[in-house]
Amino acid sequence: MNPSPILSALHLGKTVPGPEGDLTLLDDVSLDVHAGESAAILGPSGSGKSTLLGLLAGLDRPTTGHVRLQDQNLNELDEDELAALRGRWCGFVFQSFHLVHDLTALENVMLPLELKGDPAARETATQWLGRVGLHQRRSHFPNQLSGGEQQRVALARAFAVEPALLFADEPTGSLDHANGRHVSELLFELNRDEGTALVLVSHDEELAGRCDRRWRLEEGRLHA
Amino acid sequence: MRRPRMLSRTAFRPWRDGAFRLLGTALAIAAFALSSVLLLRAELNERFDQRTAEVLGGQLVLDGSRAPEPAQRELMDAVRTVPAVEFRTVLVRNEQTLLVSARAVAPPYPLFGRLTLAPERFGTEYTADHGPPPGEAWLAGQALDRLGVQVGDTITVGQKELKLSAVLKREPDGGAGFYSMSPRLLMHHDDLQATGVIAEGTRLDHETLIAGPPERIARVRSQLEENLRPDQELEGVDDAAEETLSPLRQLTLWISLSVLLVALLCGAAIYLASGERVQRHARHAALMRCFGASRRQVLDDLLGREFVAVLPASLIGSGLGVLLVWAIRRQMEWQGAWSAGPAVWALALLAPLVLWASFALPRLLRLLRTPAGEVLRAGGDHTRPALELGAALAGPVALAALLTQSWQDLGLVLGILVVLGTVLPALFWPGLRWLDRRSARWPLTLRLALRRLSRRPLLTLPLLAALTLAIATLTLAGQTGTRLIDDWQGQLPDKAANYFLFNLLDEDKPVLRDWLDKHKGEPSPLYPIVRGRLTRIEGTPIREAVTKDKQDSEEALNRDLALTTAEQVPESNRILEGEWWDADAGPGQVSVEADIARSLDIDPGDSVTFVTSRDEVTGTVTSIREVDWASFEPNFYFMFSPGSLAAQDATWLTSFWLPEGSGRRLSELLEQMPHATLLDVDALLERAEQIARQASGAAFLLAFVLMGSALLVLGAALLAGQNQRGLDNALLRILGARHALVRRVQLLEFVLLGAGAALAATALVLAALWPLGQRLFDGALPISAWQLLPLAAIALITVLGGLLSRRSLAQPPLALLKAG
Ligand SMILES: Nc1ncnc2c1ncn2[C@@H]1O[C@H](COP(=O)(O)OP(=O)(O)O)[C@@H](O)[C@H]1O
Ligand SMILES: [Mg+2]
């Protein structure tokens, strides 16, 4: 085993106030992800997968326990420091793509690079758009692209910053079978080529089956 | 007990929803604008009728050379009447004689308006609502000078001695006969018999001034019309109104237009906000349908509740409108009951609901068409564009019809609205496209901010147009109001004439010169005045010659005109056609003012003939002149070449400037020339300025409301885009953007929006001021601090936009995962 994991969660718990007392969404969740590794968190809808992903990526604060990302305790960082950390190390792919509608495909891929202050953003982004096969569509806006194409732009955007870690929340959930296949092929191919660690959340067994490691989330508890 | 509480709950709960607050505010603003204008217009119309009645002396005036017949008097029993008998008589005192125009009146004179009096010549003015009591007389100021009498003295009218108890400054119905006015004497009708003028066979003018409720006046009028003696004539307010309505019509037209703009902007805000309301209601409606509620029940429940909630907003706005009109009535000291009838009141209260019905209702009705299941799945677009567009057009058109009340005005107003609504946004389109393309190479923050605008042209363009219009209107209203008057007064030559003196005799000229020298006054040229009536053009008697433009020509024909001679063109005149004569030109040439030349169809080369008190004067027209009536110099319709009037009885007219404070000394001068008449220009100017200030105040208020409604549209647009904006911001945060950057993008967006509108507004203002500058200020643009208002507007839009969109900044990044 590698000495230090790129991402580790220790005794994570999340409770939210509900109308009938507190509601426990996650209970004592611990996991490690090492560099270059791909990990899947499986579970039915409503089991708390997105909640867990949000905690792991520092988008939300846990009620108990903590997350370490690149040896940083996320609990100790403020919102801007978290944003900077994400910008530096993480890529994201969402179920409903979440491209910026006011930016072209190319500009969407450039966006995280520009946020990092990369002077070669345009060239890098152009290259990445080529790698997902959308060079021709670079000046198109998201509403001019199909769902599958939008998700491929999202992949290019996620990989363009050469992240150490990629978070994906149901990346094929909004796509039909063929497009879903295409996107997941691309995801694993890039993951392998770039040596990026992948944290994938899904209820799709087939997708999860292609990952190195798998956990199951049931009623807020994580099972190997 | 339960019902009222339930009602208040349904009425007030929706205000917790931001979308409803916006909708309610928009409706309240529209209600405020619509109701105040409808009520104010009713007041203005009535005031205008009243003003006309003042000038006329009554709503109806029966004029004849003898008193009305007993039968006619009986007909007038149902209305209030005042007998007013006018005659000319000569007052004598210490060998001074003076022809005055006397008027004998009885209570309740005056029927309209008030008399202005002074306790002594140049004393402090006060007003009275009655004529002099029996045994007393009030006399115009210049007559006091000429006769050398003072208040308290006794004067003799015919065979009757009357005590002079006040100086008469103005009668409400005193005609403004500039050159032909003989001084007025006002006395009581009861003293008329004792003067003996009736017995002497003096020519008398018997007027019966009539006032009363409109329907009675109409009845009396039609009855009198059937029983008129040949010497009698009837004149009513309506006759006069027809001739002079146009400024009032223009005013109401402009007000209607601005109010419709306000209503349209509020309508847009209501439309956007009600879209959000639909989303709030959708789930509830679908559930009701699922549980078997009929469409009818959904209608009653949702629409009923929405309507109950909307009602207070509309009423509050209307209430504020009523309050405004109330304040205006107080400020203007308008007496009597409100002029608006029940129909106008109903309209004022219902008009805002028409707006709601046309902009919000169709969107809400969508809820009925949505199948139960679909709403729960949050899918499906059940818009009925045809219905919504139709309603959104029908509402404003209906409001416009209510406001204008004439097909012609309706067409005009709608035309202007369509042009404003299409041309103005269209003007922004190329610029926006250009920026959109250019922005590809711009820094990220600027690009993001600009794209948020350029990628939503359907929202941005109308918003830009509305803001531009509002900023421009506000700037113009501020600029052209009092500033313009100040500028114009500043523009007048330093020593512009502030007094006119006419009826001077030859021997008065040196006296005047010496007096002006002594008091550091500034003289102007002297003009000889010969009064004449135009009788022939090109030898053809005038009645046959004149065909065009009846009104104007009547004005010129029905009175004596002041004719003069001059060697040089007056400074404020401009020759349009032909040429001014040389210094040594012989007599017999005429220069004619352009408007009168047009209406009488006079061209250079024509000959014009006037009848004067002596004989006739004929001249050949050699030039047509444009006259600047606002120059406050003596101006004339017909000017002859030197010598043309040598054989006539002439008096002299001049104007002069006196330093402030010397005015009181004028009585000294007038004592030396008792026949002369003095006109105080400063007093006239003051009155004009007062009117202008009131008008500009109204314009400013309207512009202010317009600005408010434009900002409301901005708020509604932000509200409608709030969710997407929140998600966009969250996405930026997830991808590593700092908080400050997201906020900067957002502020920059509003700066750009404001700057675009401010730039266009400035262009619009300059374009509007350009012709004004050409006309009034010799080509210089009247620039003032108001030109900075667009800059302030940028700040306002940025701050307001920032405040209204701050919630989308607070959106946690996690929301993106929740959004699917
Ligand atoms: N802030 C919150 N307040 C209340 N309930 C929440 C909150 N966040 C998530 N939940 C609930 O927790 C459960 C898990 O949600 P989520 O993590 O989105 O599940 P998944 O992604 O596995 O479908 C759901 O029932 C959801 O309604
Ligand atoms: Mg989920």
Side-chain angles (χ1 to χ4, degrees), chain A residues 50 54 59-60 79-80 83 86-87 92 94-96 98 100 102-103 107 111 114-115 122 141 157 169, chain B residues 440-441 444 447-448 451-452 455-456 724 731-739 813-814 816-817 819-820:
Chain A
S50 295
L59 302 179
D60 195 11
E79 293 296 328
D80 274 344
R86 282 195 299 269
F92 288 88
F94 306 97
Q95 177 174 355
S96 37
H98 289 316
V100 179
D102 306 327
L103 298 179
E107 287 169 334
L111 183 59
E114 288 181 296
L115 285 173
R122 183 169 296 270
F141 286 92
R157 181 177 71 185
D169 188 359
Chain B
R441 298 273 163 180
L444 180 66
R447 174 155 31 101
L448 277 172
R451 292 287 180 79
R452 284 186 177 180
R455 295 290 298 159
R456 294 169 184 75
Q724 188 56 49
L731 184 61
L732 287 176
R733 302 276 291 137
I734 288 188
L735 295 178
R738 304 172 129 265
H739 213 287
L814 195 66
L816 275 197
L817 294 176

Short mmCIF file of all heavy atoms in Angstrom, two decimals, chain A residues 50 54 59-60 79-80 83 86-87 92 94-96 98 100 102-103 107 111 114-115 122 141 157 169, chain B residues 440-441 444 447-448 451-452 455-456 724 731-739 813-814 816-817 819-820:
data_model
loop_
_atom_site.label_atom_id
_atom_site.label_comp_id
_atom_site.label_asym_id
_atom_site.label_seq_id
_atom_site.Cartn_x
_atom_site.Cartn_y
_atom_site.Cartn_z
N SER A 50 -24.41 11.71 -2.81
CA SER A 50 -24.03 13.08 -3.14
C SER A 50 -23.58 13.84 -1.91
O SER A 50 -22.64 14.64 -1.96
CB SER A 50 -25.19 13.79 -3.81
OG SER A 50 -25.50 13.19 -5.04
N GLY A 54 -19.96 15.56 -1.55
CA GLY A 54 -19.84 16.98 -1.19
C GLY A 54 -18.87 17.18 -0.03
O GLY A 54 -18.06 18.11 -0.05
N LEU A 59 -17.14 20.72 -0.33
CA LEU A 59 -18.24 21.60 -0.70
C LEU A 59 -19.17 21.81 0.49
O LEU A 59 -20.00 22.70 0.48
CB LEU A 59 -19.03 21.00 -1.87
CG LEU A 59 -18.23 20.72 -3.14
CD1 LEU A 59 -19.12 20.10 -4.22
CD2 LEU A 59 -17.60 22.00 -3.66
N ASP A 60 -19.04 20.96 1.49
CA ASP A 60 -19.91 21.04 2.67
C ASP A 60 -19.08 20.62 3.88
O ASP A 60 -18.02 20.01 3.72
CB ASP A 60 -21.11 20.08 2.45
CG ASP A 60 -22.23 20.37 3.44
OD1 ASP A 60 -22.18 21.41 4.13
OD2 ASP A 60 -23.16 19.54 3.51
N GLU A 79 -13.52 29.17 3.23
CA GLU A 79 -14.17 28.90 1.94
C GLU A 79 -13.25 29.21 0.76
O GLU A 79 -13.19 28.46 -0.21
CB GLU A 79 -15.46 29.72 1.82
CG GLU A 79 -16.58 29.31 2.78
CD GLU A 79 -17.08 27.89 2.52
OE1 GLU A 79 -17.05 27.45 1.34
OE2 GLU A 79 -17.45 27.21 3.48
N ASP A 80 -12.53 30.32 0.84
CA ASP A 80 -11.66 30.69 -0.27
C ASP A 80 -10.47 29.75 -0.40
O ASP A 80 -10.04 29.42 -1.50
CB ASP A 80 -11.19 32.14 -0.13
CG ASP A 80 -12.20 33.11 -0.74
OD1 ASP A 80 -13.07 32.64 -1.51
OD2 ASP A 80 -12.12 34.32 -0.44
N ALA A 83 -11.73 26.70 -2.03
CA ALA A 83 -11.88 26.91 -3.47
C ALA A 83 -10.54 26.82 -4.16
O ALA A 83 -10.40 26.20 -5.22
CB ALA A 83 -12.53 28.28 -3.73
N ARG A 86 -9.46 23.18 -4.35
CA ARG A 86 -10.20 22.48 -5.42
C ARG A 86 -9.65 22.86 -6.78
O ARG A 86 -9.43 22.01 -7.64
CB ARG A 86 -11.69 22.85 -5.35
CG ARG A 86 -12.48 22.15 -4.28
CD ARG A 86 -13.97 22.31 -4.54
NE ARG A 86 -14.41 23.70 -4.55
CZ ARG A 86 -14.85 24.34 -3.46
NH1 ARG A 86 -14.89 23.72 -2.30
NH2 ARG A 86 -15.23 25.59 -3.55
N GLY A 87 -9.44 24.18 -6.96
CA GLY A 87 -8.94 24.64 -8.25
C GLY A 87 -7.61 24.01 -8.59
O GLY A 87 -7.31 23.73 -9.73
N PHE A 92 -14.17 18.09 -11.55
CA PHE A 92 -15.54 17.67 -11.24
C PHE A 92 -16.32 17.33 -12.50
O PHE A 92 -16.22 18.00 -13.52
CB PHE A 92 -16.31 18.79 -10.52
CG PHE A 92 -15.85 18.99 -9.10
CD1 PHE A 92 -14.80 19.85 -8.81
CD2 PHE A 92 -16.50 18.32 -8.07
CE1 PHE A 92 -14.38 20.03 -7.51
CE2 PHE A 92 -16.08 18.51 -6.76
CZ PHE A 92 -15.02 19.36 -6.48
N PHE A 94 -20.48 16.32 -13.30
CA PHE A 94 -21.80 16.19 -12.65
C PHE A 94 -22.78 15.46 -13.54
O PHE A 94 -22.61 15.38 -14.75
CB PHE A 94 -22.37 17.57 -12.34
CG PHE A 94 -21.46 18.43 -11.54
CD1 PHE A 94 -20.65 19.38 -12.17
CD2 PHE A 94 -21.41 18.31 -10.16
CE1 PHE A 94 -19.82 20.18 -11.43
CE2 PHE A 94 -20.57 19.11 -9.42
CZ PHE A 94 -19.76 20.06 -10.06
N GLN A 95 -23.83 14.99 -12.88
CA GLN A 95 -24.88 14.30 -13.63
C GLN A 95 -25.49 15.20 -14.71
O GLN A 95 -25.68 14.78 -15.84
CB GLN A 95 -25.98 13.84 -12.66
CG GLN A 95 -27.13 13.17 -13.38
CD GLN A 95 -28.14 12.60 -12.40
OE1 GLN A 95 -27.93 12.62 -11.19
NE2 GLN A 95 -29.22 12.07 -12.93
N SER A 96 -25.76 16.47 -14.34
CA SER A 96 -26.36 17.33 -15.38
C SER A 96 -25.35 18.34 -15.92
O SER A 96 -25.68 19.49 -16.16
CB SER A 96 -27.63 18.00 -14.88
OG SER A 96 -27.49 18.35 -13.52
N HIS A 98 -23.55 20.79 -16.00
CA HIS A 98 -23.18 22.07 -15.42
C HIS A 98 -22.07 22.79 -16.15
O HIS A 98 -21.04 23.13 -15.57
CB HIS A 98 -22.79 21.90 -13.94
CG HIS A 98 -23.96 21.59 -13.07
ND1 HIS A 98 -25.17 22.26 -13.18
CD2 HIS A 98 -24.13 20.68 -12.09
CE1 HIS A 98 -26.00 21.77 -12.31
NE2 HIS A 98 -25.43 20.80 -11.64
N VAL A 100 -21.00 26.33 -18.03
CA VAL A 100 -21.43 27.73 -17.93
C VAL A 100 -22.09 28.11 -19.25
O VAL A 100 -21.45 28.07 -20.30
CB VAL A 100 -20.23 28.66 -17.63
CG1 VAL A 100 -20.71 30.10 -17.55
CG2 VAL A 100 -19.56 28.25 -16.34
N ASP A 102 -23.04 30.77 -20.59
CA ASP A 102 -22.65 31.99 -21.29
C ASP A 102 -21.29 31.86 -21.96
O ASP A 102 -20.83 32.79 -22.60
CB ASP A 102 -22.61 33.18 -20.32
CG ASP A 102 -23.92 33.32 -19.57
OD1 ASP A 102 -24.96 33.00 -20.17
OD2 ASP A 102 -23.87 33.74 -18.40
N LEU A 103 -20.63 30.72 -21.77
CA LEU A 103 -19.30 30.54 -22.35
C LEU A 103 -19.36 29.45 -23.42
O LEU A 103 -20.13 28.51 -23.32
CB LEU A 103 -18.29 30.16 -21.26
CG LEU A 103 -18.08 31.20 -20.15
CD1 LEU A 103 -17.07 30.68 -19.13
CD2 LEU A 103 -17.64 32.53 -20.72
N GLU A 107 -14.28 28.00 -24.09
CA GLU A 107 -14.16 28.86 -22.91
C GLU A 107 -14.49 28.11 -21.63
O GLU A 107 -13.92 28.38 -20.57
CB GLU A 107 -15.06 30.09 -23.06
CG GLU A 107 -14.52 31.09 -24.07
CD GLU A 107 -15.53 32.17 -24.42
OE1 GLU A 107 -16.75 31.92 -24.30
OE2 GLU A 107 -15.10 33.26 -24.81
N LEU A 111 -11.97 27.76 -18.53
CA LEU A 111 -12.37 28.41 -17.28
C LEU A 111 -11.51 28.06 -16.06
O LEU A 111 -10.93 28.95 -15.42
CB LEU A 111 -13.86 28.14 -17.02
CG LEU A 111 -14.48 28.79 -15.80
CD1 LEU A 111 -14.35 30.30 -15.86
CD2 LEU A 111 -15.96 28.40 -15.70
N GLU A 114 -8.00 29.40 -16.44
CA GLU A 114 -7.93 30.85 -16.25
C GLU A 114 -8.04 31.22 -14.77
O GLU A 114 -7.37 32.13 -14.30
CB GLU A 114 -9.05 31.55 -17.03
CG GLU A 114 -8.83 31.54 -18.53
CD GLU A 114 -9.94 32.26 -19.27
OE1 GLU A 114 -11.10 31.78 -19.21
OE2 GLU A 114 -9.68 33.29 -19.89
N LEU A 115 -8.89 30.47 -14.08
CA LEU A 115 -9.04 30.75 -12.65
C LEU A 115 -7.72 30.51 -11.92
O LEU A 115 -7.41 31.17 -10.93
CB LEU A 115 -10.14 29.87 -12.05
CG LEU A 115 -11.57 30.31 -12.40
CD1 LEU A 115 -12.58 29.28 -11.91
CD2 LEU A 115 -11.88 31.68 -11.84
N ARG A 122 -5.69 28.96 -23.31
CA ARG A 122 -6.36 28.73 -24.58
C ARG A 122 -5.78 27.51 -25.31
O ARG A 122 -6.49 26.65 -25.79
CB ARG A 122 -6.26 29.98 -25.45
CG ARG A 122 -7.00 29.90 -26.78
CD ARG A 122 -7.07 31.25 -27.43
NE ARG A 122 -7.85 32.19 -26.64
CZ ARG A 122 -9.17 32.36 -26.80
NH1 ARG A 122 -9.82 31.66 -27.69
NH2 ARG A 122 -9.81 33.21 -26.04
N PHE A 141 -21.99 27.20 -28.12
CA PHE A 141 -22.43 27.37 -26.73
C PHE A 141 -23.13 26.09 -26.28
O PHE A 141 -23.63 25.32 -27.11
CB PHE A 141 -23.35 28.58 -26.61
CG PHE A 141 -22.62 29.89 -26.70
CD1 PHE A 141 -22.44 30.54 -27.91
CD2 PHE A 141 -22.08 30.46 -25.56
CE1 PHE A 141 -21.74 31.73 -27.99
CE2 PHE A 141 -21.38 31.65 -25.62
CZ PHE A 141 -21.21 32.29 -26.84
N ARG A 157 -12.98 19.76 -19.42
CA ARG A 157 -12.79 20.82 -18.44
C ARG A 157 -12.20 20.26 -17.14
O ARG A 157 -11.33 20.86 -16.52
CB ARG A 157 -14.13 21.49 -18.15
CG ARG A 157 -14.03 22.63 -17.16
CD ARG A 157 -15.35 23.32 -16.95
NE ARG A 157 -16.30 22.49 -16.22
CZ ARG A 157 -17.57 22.83 -15.98
NH1 ARG A 157 -18.05 23.97 -16.45
NH2 ARG A 157 -18.37 22.03 -15.32
N ASP A 169 -20.13 12.67 -10.05
CA ASP A 169 -21.42 12.32 -9.43
C ASP A 169 -22.38 11.88 -10.52
O ASP A 169 -22.87 12.69 -11.29
CB ASP A 169 -21.96 13.54 -8.68
CG ASP A 169 -23.20 13.21 -7.86
OD1 ASP A 169 -23.64 12.04 -7.90
OD2 ASP A 169 -23.73 14.12 -7.20
N ALA B 440 -14.34 37.63 -26.74
CA ALA B 440 -13.65 36.34 -26.73
C ALA B 440 -12.23 36.49 -26.20
O ALA B 440 -11.68 35.57 -25.59
CB ALA B 440 -13.62 35.76 -28.14
N ARG B 441 -11.61 37.65 -26.41
CA ARG B 441 -10.21 37.82 -25.99
C ARG B 441 -10.08 38.63 -24.70
O ARG B 441 -8.98 39.01 -24.33
CB ARG B 441 -9.42 38.53 -27.10
CG ARG B 441 -9.38 37.75 -28.39
CD ARG B 441 -8.22 36.78 -28.39
NE ARG B 441 -8.40 35.75 -29.41
CZ ARG B 441 -7.51 34.78 -29.62
NH1 ARG B 441 -6.43 34.71 -28.89
NH2 ARG B 441 -7.74 33.88 -30.54
N LEU B 444 -11.11 37.12 -18.10
CA LEU B 444 -12.22 36.26 -17.68
C LEU B 444 -13.36 37.02 -17.00
O LEU B 444 -14.53 36.87 -17.37
CB LEU B 444 -11.68 35.18 -16.74
CG LEU B 444 -12.72 34.19 -16.22
CD1 LEU B 444 -13.27 33.35 -17.36
CD2 LEU B 444 -12.12 33.31 -15.13
N ARG B 447 -15.27 39.19 -19.35
CA ARG B 447 -15.98 38.38 -20.35
C ARG B 447 -17.22 37.75 -19.72
O ARG B 447 -18.31 37.80 -20.29
CB ARG B 447 -15.04 37.29 -20.88
CG ARG B 447 -15.69 36.31 -21.81
CD ARG B 447 -14.68 35.68 -22.76
NE ARG B 447 -13.35 35.56 -22.16
CZ ARG B 447 -12.86 34.43 -21.67
NH1 ARG B 447 -13.58 33.32 -21.72
NH2 ARG B 447 -11.65 34.39 -21.16
N LEU B 448 -17.04 37.18 -18.53
CA LEU B 448 -18.18 36.56 -17.86
C LEU B 448 -19.30 37.58 -17.62
O LEU B 448 -20.47 37.32 -17.87
CB LEU B 448 -17.75 35.97 -16.52
CG LEU B 448 -17.11 34.59 -16.58
CD1 LEU B 448 -16.54 34.20 -15.23
CD2 LEU B 448 -18.13 33.55 -17.03
N ARG B 451 -20.96 38.56 -20.95
CA ARG B 451 -21.74 37.49 -21.55
C ARG B 451 -23.08 37.29 -20.85
O ARG B 451 -24.06 36.92 -21.46
CB ARG B 451 -20.96 36.18 -21.50
CG ARG B 451 -19.75 36.16 -22.38
CD ARG B 451 -20.14 36.05 -23.84
NE ARG B 451 -18.95 36.02 -24.68
CZ ARG B 451 -18.21 34.94 -24.85
NH1 ARG B 451 -18.54 33.81 -24.26
NH2 ARG B 451 -17.14 34.99 -25.60
N ARG B 452 -23.08 37.55 -19.54
CA ARG B 452 -24.36 37.41 -18.83
C ARG B 452 -25.39 38.34 -19.43
O ARG B 452 -26.59 38.10 -19.36
CB ARG B 452 -24.17 37.71 -17.34
CG ARG B 452 -23.49 36.57 -16.62
CD ARG B 452 -23.44 36.79 -15.14
NE ARG B 452 -22.84 35.62 -14.50
CZ ARG B 452 -22.66 35.50 -13.20
NH1 ARG B 452 -23.04 36.48 -12.40
NH2 ARG B 452 -22.12 34.42 -12.70
N ARG B 455 -25.68 37.34 -23.73
CA ARG B 455 -26.25 36.04 -24.08
C ARG B 455 -27.75 35.98 -23.78
O ARG B 455 -28.38 34.96 -24.04
CB ARG B 455 -25.53 34.92 -23.31
CG ARG B 455 -24.08 34.75 -23.69
CD ARG B 455 -23.89 34.20 -25.06
NE ARG B 455 -24.49 32.86 -25.18
CZ ARG B 455 -24.82 32.31 -26.33
NH1 ARG B 455 -24.64 32.97 -27.45
NH2 ARG B 455 -25.34 31.11 -26.35
N ARG B 456 -28.30 37.05 -23.19
CA ARG B 456 -29.74 37.08 -22.92
C ARG B 456 -30.35 38.33 -23.55
O ARG B 456 -30.92 39.17 -22.86
CB ARG B 456 -29.99 37.09 -21.41
CG ARG B 456 -29.57 35.81 -20.71
CD ARG B 456 -29.59 36.01 -19.20
NE ARG B 456 -29.10 34.81 -18.52
CZ ARG B 456 -27.83 34.46 -18.47
NH1 ARG B 456 -26.91 35.22 -19.03
NH2 ARG B 456 -27.47 33.36 -17.84
N GLN B 724 -30.73 30.34 -11.88
CA GLN B 724 -29.64 30.06 -12.79
C GLN B 724 -28.38 30.79 -12.35
O GLN B 724 -27.29 30.24 -12.36
CB GLN B 724 -30.04 30.49 -14.21
CG GLN B 724 -29.05 30.08 -15.28
CD GLN B 724 -28.81 28.57 -15.25
OE1 GLN B 724 -29.76 27.78 -15.23
NE2 GLN B 724 -27.55 28.16 -15.23
N LEU B 731 -21.01 27.11 -9.46
CA LEU B 731 -20.11 26.38 -10.35
C LEU B 731 -18.72 27.02 -10.36
O LEU B 731 -17.70 26.33 -10.28
CB LEU B 731 -20.71 26.36 -11.76
CG LEU B 731 -19.93 25.54 -12.78
CD1 LEU B 731 -19.86 24.09 -12.35
CD2 LEU B 731 -20.56 25.66 -14.16
N LEU B 732 -18.71 28.36 -10.44
CA LEU B 732 -17.43 29.06 -10.42
C LEU B 732 -16.69 28.74 -9.13
O LEU B 732 -15.47 28.50 -9.15
CB LEU B 732 -17.65 30.57 -10.52
CG LEU B 732 -18.07 31.11 -11.89
CD1 LEU B 732 -18.35 32.60 -11.82
CD2 LEU B 732 -16.99 30.82 -12.92
N ARG B 733 -17.42 28.69 -8.03
CA ARG B 733 -16.78 28.41 -6.74
C ARG B 733 -16.21 27.00 -6.74
O ARG B 733 -15.10 26.76 -6.26
CB ARG B 733 -17.80 28.54 -5.60
CG ARG B 733 -18.44 29.89 -5.51
CD ARG B 733 -17.61 30.89 -4.74
NE ARG B 733 -17.53 30.57 -3.33
CZ ARG B 733 -16.41 30.65 -2.62
NH1 ARG B 733 -15.29 31.00 -3.21
NH2 ARG B 733 -16.42 30.38 -1.34
N ILE B 734 -16.96 26.03 -7.28
CA ILE B 734 -16.48 24.66 -7.31
C ILE B 734 -15.21 24.53 -8.13
O ILE B 734 -14.28 23.83 -7.79
CB ILE B 734 -17.57 23.72 -7.87
CG1 ILE B 734 -18.68 23.56 -6.85
CG2 ILE B 734 -16.98 22.37 -8.26
CD1 ILE B 734 -19.69 22.53 -7.21
N LEU B 735 -15.17 25.29 -9.23
CA LEU B 735 -14.01 25.20 -10.11
C LEU B 735 -12.83 26.00 -9.57
O LEU B 735 -11.83 26.13 -10.24
CB LEU B 735 -14.37 25.67 -11.51
CG LEU B 735 -15.40 24.79 -12.22
CD1 LEU B 735 -15.72 25.35 -13.58
CD2 LEU B 735 -14.88 23.36 -12.35
N GLY B 736 -12.99 26.55 -8.37
CA GLY B 736 -11.82 27.15 -7.73
C GLY B 736 -11.82 28.67 -7.68
O GLY B 736 -10.81 29.27 -7.35
N ALA B 737 -12.96 29.33 -8.04
CA ALA B 737 -12.98 30.78 -8.01
C ALA B 737 -13.14 31.27 -6.58
O ALA B 737 -13.89 30.70 -5.80
CB ALA B 737 -14.12 31.32 -8.86
N ARG B 738 -12.40 32.36 -6.26
CA ARG B 738 -12.56 32.96 -4.95
C ARG B 738 -13.88 33.72 -4.91
O ARG B 738 -14.40 34.14 -5.94
CB ARG B 738 -11.42 33.94 -4.66
CG ARG B 738 -10.08 33.32 -4.78
CD ARG B 738 -9.02 34.42 -4.68
NE ARG B 738 -8.04 34.02 -3.69
CZ ARG B 738 -8.07 34.39 -2.42
NH1 ARG B 738 -9.01 35.20 -2.00
NH2 ARG B 738 -7.16 33.97 -1.57
N HIS B 739 -14.34 33.91 -3.69
CA HIS B 739 -15.58 34.65 -3.47
C HIS B 739 -15.53 36.03 -4.13
O HIS B 739 -16.47 36.47 -4.79
CB HIS B 739 -15.79 34.81 -1.96
CG HIS B 739 -17.22 34.80 -1.57
ND1 HIS B 739 -18.04 35.86 -1.82
CD2 HIS B 739 -17.99 33.86 -0.98
CE1 HIS B 739 -19.26 35.57 -1.38
NE2 HIS B 739 -19.25 34.35 -0.87
N PRO B 813 -21.89 25.93 -2.87
CA PRO B 813 -21.53 25.12 -4.04
C PRO B 813 -22.25 23.78 -4.07
O PRO B 813 -22.54 23.23 -5.12
CB PRO B 813 -20.02 24.90 -3.88
CG PRO B 813 -19.56 25.96 -2.94
CD PRO B 813 -20.72 26.34 -2.09
N LEU B 814 -22.59 23.32 -2.89
CA LEU B 814 -23.25 22.02 -2.78
C LEU B 814 -24.54 21.96 -3.58
O LEU B 814 -24.96 20.91 -4.04
CB LEU B 814 -23.55 21.75 -1.30
CG LEU B 814 -23.90 20.32 -0.93
CD1 LEU B 814 -22.69 19.43 -1.14
CD2 LEU B 814 -24.36 20.25 0.52
N LEU B 816 -25.13 22.54 -6.44
CA LEU B 816 -24.98 21.96 -7.77
C LEU B 816 -25.21 20.46 -7.75
O LEU B 816 -25.74 19.87 -8.68
CB LEU B 816 -23.58 22.23 -8.30
CG LEU B 816 -23.39 23.56 -9.01
CD1 LEU B 816 -22.13 23.50 -9.82
CD2 LEU B 816 -24.57 23.89 -9.87
N LEU B 817 -24.75 19.80 -6.65
CA LEU B 817 -24.95 18.36 -6.55
C LEU B 817 -26.43 18.07 -6.37
O LEU B 817 -26.95 17.10 -6.90
CB LEU B 817 -24.16 17.82 -5.36
CG LEU B 817 -22.64 17.92 -5.50
CD1 LEU B 817 -21.96 17.45 -4.22
CD2 LEU B 817 -22.16 17.09 -6.68
N ALA B 819 -28.78 19.88 -7.49
CA ALA B 819 -29.51 20.20 -8.71
C ALA B 819 -29.42 19.06 -9.71
O ALA B 819 -29.88 19.17 -10.83
CB ALA B 819 -28.97 21.48 -9.33
N GLY B 820 -28.82 17.94 -9.31
CA GLY B 820 -28.83 16.78 -10.18
C GLY B 820 -27.45 16.43 -10.66
O GLY B 820 -26.55 17.24 -10.72
#
